[in-house]
Every structure is written in structure tokens, then in C-alpha cells.
Amino acid sequence: MGHMKRMAVTIFMLILVISLAACGSGNNGNGNTADNGKSANAGNGGNKAADNGAKDDGKIDTSDFETITYVVLGDKPKNGQLEKVMEKVNTTLKQKANAELQFKWVEWADWQTKYNLLLASGEPLDLITIGTDWLDTWGNAQRGAFLPLNDLLEKYAPQTFAEIPKEDWDQSKFKDDIVMIPEDHYTQWVNHGIYYRGDWAKQFGITQPITDFETLGKYFQGVKDNMKDVVPWDTNGTNGTLYGGFEASYTDNIDLPIATGYANVYTAKSYDERYTVDSPIFNDKFIDFAKLMKQWGDAGYWREDVLNYKGDTRTELKAGQTGADAHHTQTFKGLRVEMDKQQPGSELQMFSYSDTRGNLISMPITHGGTSIGAHSKHPERALMVYDLIRQDPELYHLINYGLEGVQYEIKDGIRTRPAGYDEAKDGFYTDFWGGRIDKNEIPSDTDWSGIGDIYKKYDGIKKPFPYGKFVFDKTSVDPEMTAISQVVGEQLPAILYGKAGDPEKAVQALRDKLKAAGYDKVKDEIQKQLDAFKASEQG
Amino acid sequence: MEVVRKRIRSDATSLAVRGFGYVFIGLFAICCLVPFLLVLGTSFTSEGSITKHGFNIWPREFSTFAYKIVFENPGLIVGSYMVTILITVVGTAAGLFLVAMTGYALQRPDFAQRNGISFFIYFTTLFSGGIVPFYLLINQYLKLHDSYLAVLLPGLMSPFLIIMMKSFTKSIPHAITESAKIDGAGDFTIFLRLILPMTTPALATIGLFIALGYWNEWYNAMLFLSPDMKYRPLQLFLYNVITSADFIRNSSAASNVPLRDMPLESMKMATAVVATGPVILFYPFVQRYFIQGITVGAVKG
């Protein structure tokens, strides 16, 4: 009897589990179709509304007052300045488009989860900040989060539509639909490199700007020899910048938009062979590089416990306690000004990794941008508002800089803080990263005046970002990629900082472990998808 | 009395064991205390001194700058405190009542469906719908976004606590319930007048669990309470202070965010002190029940 009962219970459990699992997948299926249906409907609805809205004489009907929401990333300023500025913004918006703008903030607390949930929830969002390389925009587009804008743009955002060239619109398409407005007219470079002190370099006899690792090593040695109690580069082991440095300085590899944790294992072979998968780790030069890093680590260019050290390099740099720091060009342009203030005469310089052999790919134009939510109730008006805040200098300045006289003053064409400006009381920002544009920017005294030369240098060597529309589908290799990320995270930091023992053995061990984790399977999968991408690119 | 003392004194090994125990536990207690003192000390140290000398229990350069930033807007932090206290008090009272009632009901032998219902409760510990359905449920169907209920309701009951309560109330003989019934008491009276007073240790333990849960709650608040709300729970507020400082310092996309000097390390410590304060005051009072309650639960479970 007891046996029978146990059997029955087991069977019941099994049935439950199976039915639940089935239920789950069924729901998923339904969810997806429902979503697709809805977004298609929303699209139609939008188009219909557009047709209705447009009167015969081509004028747009704005008789109903609408509130447009804009999803932005960042923490809402709490000092009341935002409200003051938005009041002005909305007065103008009411005149020009009979609408008002409301920011919807996704704070930095677990923002990835929150942002994606917000898009998945089906809430009627109007404008949404997007970024293909950091906000999973393609994934969200695949899930139907965005409204296709094909027929709306020309009519409701005419200036923006005309300004963005056709190639850039093409980069903004998911399948055949334009699903985002790229921030393609705003100059920003996240080209990584190492900052070092120009005054110290001169003192050590390095008169030319540093453009390779060998000279950088000389600089570090100089700090080591001449500066008492200064760690040449007091970095911590979580900083993976040297890997990117190796890739750009020693190889022709260029990054693929495929993340594998601490460092990207897979790259393309070179710009010319951009559809061929390669990996800097399996390049022979990587062993030489590992040896160099061992040498640097042994020489004490960073501290002995670098892998566990958690200090803040930038603070130390500003305090004159370290000779170097690493990040990208955008950070450099502000940091240089700060350093001139805090360490007068330091003449902070940047060795960007692209300096060595000109291996530089521009950023995707969709690093920033704006989409319209699939469930937006008034996409036409949202586009009108977007066109205004991007193109109208008055609105643009309000949203990006605040009120003239309170948040900023213009002296000789340069934006500066008014006397008596108090950050806590007067500070203002909107984190509007979805449509900034160079022509409306006012140069700021917090940006280094020499940054233009660096931009020019980059513009001279840059190659266009080739993977704007390449979306890697990792479903079939997900477990392998997780395993690879784990291996990279465990092994690579020690190699980069010369703490892995014999470099040759350490690199060999890393390669073996990557192979065991499924390196080849993932490589084949990426190659397969790149081939398909190549075919689609070349028609 | 005399006899007992003599026996202990005569037993040298026992004395040694006791001595060792005191020393060991004493050392262990110090080990537990040191990190906290380190946090406290660091929170009052200037950021420059931290980068130079590292963390110290006794601040080398005394500074209250970190607290100044955390308390930059005193109204906000007081409001957040109030919200957290409110949610913790209401949530703990309601949660405790519900968990106790469920636990009691589920173990009564004369409740026919107890196994079936228990199974449904336990089953949820094995499978969960995941975060998207949860978000949709609270946000779309229950429409609780920007309402403190969104934080309160999900934390009310948890299967683990119900199991604990159930096994604890099992130790109360069913005969007590039956005798009360014979005397004419209704089920609710029995629960309130007889069962609840007998389960104080368990209630204190579970209450502490629930209270700590609510006190530390920030995730649901992060998901469902938007920055448009004036006051949000303390932990979320503090978490935001830290993450935004962190972000401002490492900002990549945020080139137009004004940079300011953030004493990040000391600030982390200051927020930790602000966040733990009341719990430390409150903990010693329930601690004795805590030990009893959790042991009983363990033995009988």
C-alpha cells in the first residue's frame, strides 16, 4: 500500500513539474506573440493617428495637450533645480508643440535590471534613451520594445530626419524598421589609454609623447627611480585596460561586440579581415606581452598586492601619489583641467593605445540615441518634442546646461560657473544622452582646450565601426560563454599584472582552460554568424 | 549548592575548558567587533588619509565630510528613515500575525487539507516565476508602483518562516487545543489566547527575521518606487548615494555630469553606520529569544 502511495505521489509530482514547465514555455510563447501583436498594433495605430493628425494642408494637429515621458539613466537631482529648469522647458514646449516633457529616471541602483524590466513591462513609454553597446538595445528591439519609426520621422522630426545621413539611418534599423534615432552628431571618444604626467616624463628625459609600451615602461622606471614613495601606476587588478592596450598596440585585431566578462576573448582579425574571428590571447605576441608584464610587475611599477588592492587610482593621481591612471579620452578631457588645478604644472598627457600603430575604430553611432516605446500613446508628439530639444538651441541649452546665470555663464564663448555657484544648491543635470549634437554645444571650461587636437588625431586614423547592425545571438553557446567568462576572470588579471608565475606557462594554462571551456565551439558559432552578417552587408 | 561548587572546583579539566572557552569566545567577539570599529573609524577619516594610510580604527585625520554628503539633504534622510521604520513596524506586525496563524493552522491534525496546502507553499520554494512576471504582477496587475504596498506585501510571508513556525507550534500538544475547544473556545480565541503566548520565542525569532528583511529591503523599492516619490526606504536612498558617487567618479557616458570630489571610501562606511545604527540598538533585546527560538525550530524541524 505504502509503496503504491509513494509511486502515486512521485507520478503526481512529475506531472506537476512537467505541466508547470509546459505552462512556463507556453506563457513565454504567448507573451511573445502578444507582444509582437501589440507592437504591430501600436505601429499601425501610430501611423493611423499620424494620417488623421495630418490635415490636408500638411499642418500637424496639436490641439490636444500631451505629456511626453523620456526614460533617462541617472539619479534624479534632488535640489529642486530640475523642476525650475523643466518649468521653463515646458513653457517653451507648450508654445511650440502643445506638450510637456517629463523625465522618467532609471537610477544607477541595479539599472540594467530596472531598465530592461521597464521596457518589458509594456508601460506606455514615449522617448527612451538607448545604446546598442551598453543598453542591450538590439535585444530589446528583438523583444518588440520599440516602435518602428519609418513613416513618422520625416513628418514629425523633419530637422533630425534631414540631418542624419542615410548610412546612419541604416545603422539604426532592426530588420527593415528604423527603431532608434542615433546620437550621431556628437563627438565623443572612448578610446582607452594611460594618463601620465608630462612634467615628470620630461624630467626623465622623455621629450616626445609616449606612443608605445616600451617608452611607457621607461616612464614608470623613471618614477620608480626618482619619486620617493610613489607607486608608478597604483592601479588595481580589476582594471583590465592593459588587455585592450595589448590588442591595439601589438596586434591588428579589432573588437567585436561580443562580451566575455573581464576581457573580450573574441575579436576580428583586423579591419580588413573584419569578418574573420580571431583572438589576441592565441597570438604569439601575447606571450611576449605577458613576459613584459611580468618584468613590469617584478620591477614594482604597481604594488605587490595589485590583485587585491582596492584603492582609487584617480584620487591618488590628483593627490600626486601616483604617476599614472588609465581610462578613456572622454575622461581625460575633464581630468586634464582638474589636474592643472590640483597639481599645477603636471601637464597630464594621454598615451592612447591607438597611438602605437593607428589601430582605432570609431564608436558606434548608436552608443547613444533615442527610441520610441512600442506602447507609446502619442509617438508623433514625442518625435516633435525630440526634434525640438535636439535642434532648438534654447531648449537644448536648458536641458543640457540649465539656466544661464544660475548654472552657467558664457565668457568669451566658453561656458563657466557663475560666481557664488554652489554645487549642492545649484547643481543641475538631466543625463540627456540620447540626442546631443555638436552644433548646439557650448565649450566648457571644464574641458581641456587641447582636446580638439586629440580628436583631430583620432579622426585622421579612425576606421568606421563595422558592426553597427551585427547582433550576436548567443543562445546556442550560452553555457560555453559563461565558462569562458569565468576562465578569463580567474586567469587573465594575474597575467596582465605579471603575478601568474612563468608567463609562458601561465598563457599556456589560460589557453588550455579556454579550450576546455568550449573556446572552439563559440568561435565556430561566431564565425558562422559573421559569415551570415557579411553576406547581408554585401547584399 | 555547596556540593555543586565543590565538584566544579575539583574538576580541573572542566575549569580548563571553561577558561579556554572564555578566552576563545572573547577573542572571537573581538574579531567580530574590530571590523565594525574599522567601519566606524574609517567613516570619520578624511579621504586623503585613507588613500595614504589605509583604513584605521582610530582616524588619523578626523573628518565628517562623508557624513556631510550623506546628510546633504537632512530632510530626505529623515524622511527615508521614517518610511523604513513605518514599513518595518507595520510589515513585521502584520507578517508575524499572518505567519503565526498559517504555521499554526498548517500543523493542526484536525485540519484536513493541511498537507495539500503545505505542499503548495513549499513548492514555491523550488520554482519561482522569475523577475519579469513578478514585476508585471506588481506593476501592471496590482498597480502598486509608487506605493509603499509594493514593498510591504511581497515581504509579508515566506515559506521558510512558515515552515519554522509550523514546526515550532507542533511542539505544543494538540491536547491543549482540544481542551480549550471542550471549554467552548473558538479557533480564533484559541490561537490568540493560548497559542500565541506559548510561541513567544518563535515569534521573536521570526519577527526579527521579518524586521531585518524589511529594514534591509531595497530591491523591491528600487524596482517599484520611482525617484518621483519624495521619500523612499533608507537602504535604497543610501545605495543611491553610493552608486551615484561611484558612477560620477567612473563615469563613461556622463561627460556632462558635473564632477565633484566624492569621499567614496569614507562615504561607504558612513552609510553603513547610518544604516545599521538602529538595528544594533534593537538587537540585544530580542537576542535571547532569538537563540531559543531558532534552536527549538531546528530540533523539531
Side-chain angles (χ1 to χ4, degrees), chain A residues 12-13 16-17 20 75-76 78 103 105 107-110 113-114 117-118 120-123 134 186 188 310 312 314-316 318 321 327-328 330-331 338 342 367 400 417 423-424 428-429 431 433 436, chain B residues 47-48 51-52 72-73 76 119 123 126-127 131-132 135-136 139-140 218-219 222-228 232 236-237 239-240 243-244 247 249-261 265:
Chain A
F12 172 69
M13 282 282 283
L16 237 167
V17 169
L20 268 179
D75 292 341
K76 185 180 181 178
K78 298 250 163 75
F103 285 112
W105 301 81
E107 294 159 302
W108 295 124
D110 206 11
T113 313
K114 175 110 197 233
L117 277 175
L118 195 62
S121 71
E123 270 176 57
W134 66 293
Y186 180 71
Q188 51 182 337
K310 290 281 176 287
D312 185 65
R314 195 148 308 148
T315 314
E316 291 177 49
K318 287 189 222 162
Q321 288 163 349
H327 208 232
H328 54 56
Q330 275 317 85
T331 307
E338 269 188 276
Q342 303 203 11
H367 173 69
N400 283 291
R417 293 296 189 202
E423 179 65 51
F428 164 85
Y429 54 86
D431 296 332
W433 302 326
R436 285 169 297 176
Chain B
E47 189 76 0
T51 42
K52 253 189 234 151
E72 197 162 53
N73 224 324
L76 278 178
F119 175 73
F123 199 69
L126 303 177
F127 298 94
I131 188 167
V132 176
Y135 184 82
L136 292 180
N139 231 6
Q140 306 291 113
W218 69 275
Y219 196 74
M222 184 273 298
L223 286 181
F224 302 117
L225 308 184
S226 80
D228 295 328
R232 294 184 297 164
L236 179 60
F237 176 82
Y239 191 87
N240 257 327
T243 46
S244 56
F247 187 82
R249 296 219 313 190
N250 304 323
S251 60
S252 50
S255 58
N256 60 355
V257 169
L259 288 166
R260 45 193 292 208
D261 278 324
E265 296 306 326

Side-chain angles (χ1 to χ4, degrees), chain A residues 82-227:
Chain A
L82 176 73
E83 286 73 14
K84 279 187 207 154
V85 175
M86 287 316 283
E87 199 181 311
K88 279 207 103 170
V89 168
N90 284 331
T91 321
T92 314
L93 276 178
K94 177 147 180 33
Q95 279 168 14
K96 294 194 170 166
N98 197 23
E100 69 167 3
L101 179 66
Q102 234 178 41
F103 285 112
K104 210 173 163 73
W105 301 81
V106 175
E107 294 159 302
W108 295 124
D110 206 11
W111 52 276
Q112 282 112 329
T113 313
K114 175 110 197 233
Y115 177 82
N116 284 327
L117 277 175
L118 195 62
L119 296 196
S121 71
E123 270 176 57
L125 307 164
D126 298 318
L127 299 163
I128 302 166
T129 304
I130 54 103
T132 50
D133 51 349
W134 66 293
L135 282 171
D136 194 23
T137 297
W138 294 120
N140 281 315
Q142 216 160 8
R143 291 187 282 270
F146 306 127
L147 186 71
L149 303 175
N150 303 341
D151 309 327
L152 298 172
L153 281 163
E154 192 169 0
K155 180 160 186 123
Y156 295 101
Q159 289 192 65
T160 306
F161 181 73
E163 173 180 80
I164 296 175
K166 192 181 165 298
E167 313 82 271
D168 290 1
W169 282 127
D170 283 342
Q171 299 278 310
S172 312
K173 280 181 180 169
F174 177 70
K175 294 189 176 142
D176 294 329
D177 294 323
I178 297 175
V179 290
M180 65 192 89
I181 309 169
E183 192 182 66
D184 66 334
H185 279 59
Y186 180 71
T187 308
Q188 51 182 337
W189 276 101
V190 294
N191 186 19
H192 282 256
I194 302 233
Y195 317 140
Y196 62 95
R197 294 185 56 152
D199 56 344
W200 290 2
K202 261 188 215 131
Q203 199 181 320
F204 313 145
I206 302 167
T207 47
Q208 293 293 314
I210 297 179
T211 55
D212 55 42
F213 272 79
E214 285 69 29
T215 321
L216 184 65
K218 256 184 229 157
Y219 168 77
F220 284 157
Q221 189 60 46
V223 180
K224 187 90 207 150
D225 294 341
N226 297 296
M227 303 289 157

